[in-house]
Amino acid sequence: MNLDFRLLEIFVAIYQTRSVGEAARILKMSQPGISSALNRLRANLNDPLFIKASSGMQPTSRAHDLFDPICKILVQINSKLKVQPHFDPH
């Protein structure tokens, strides 16, 4: 499996907005870049994750199951990255 932090952020953005275009705007990426990332996620997780519908990109049951755990992972990672470690050169 080849997942990176950015793919998880893209998953959350699509899930929350139900739109590849809106996710691209929020994440300051191109729409083809988001689509490419979604395709990598789909291949890695062996699930379509989102199905195109008239009301937007609808999450599959697998996407619903993954949303909360992925959000928790992102919160933990972001909180750890924001902590400034104490540096003592002596």
Side-chain angles (χ1 to χ4, degrees):
M1 189 176 290
N2 187 18
L3 287 178
D4 64 37
F5 181 75
R6 192 66 171 163
L7 291 177
L8 300 180
E9 290 179 321
I10 290 166
F11 170 86
V12 169
I14 296 170
Y15 188 96
Q16 290 176 330
T17 63
R18 302 296 201 264
S19 166
V20 170
E22 187 64 16
R25 188 188 67 75
I26 289 169
L27 296 173
K28 296 179 175 57
M29 292 179 64
S30 68
Q31 191 165 341
I34 295 287
S35 293
S36 176
L38 178 56
N39 287 332
R40 287 195 311 271
L41 273 170
R42 287 171 166 163
N44 278 302
L45 299 174
N46 198 29
D47 189 89
L49 298 172
F50 301 95
I51 307 296
K52 210 179 281 189
S54 61
S55 57
M57 299 293 283
Q58 295 305 306
T60 64
S61 60
R62 179 93 193 268
H64 282 300
D65 290 344
L66 291 171
F67 180 72
D68 284 338
I70 288 174
C71 285
K72 288 176 185 174
I73 288 167
L74 290 175
V75 166
Q76 286 181 325
I77 290 170
N78 282 323
S79 69
K80 294 294 182 186
L81 291 175
K82 289 179 184 175
V83 173
Q84 294 293 322
H86 175 71
F87 176 71
D88 185 4
H90 298 27

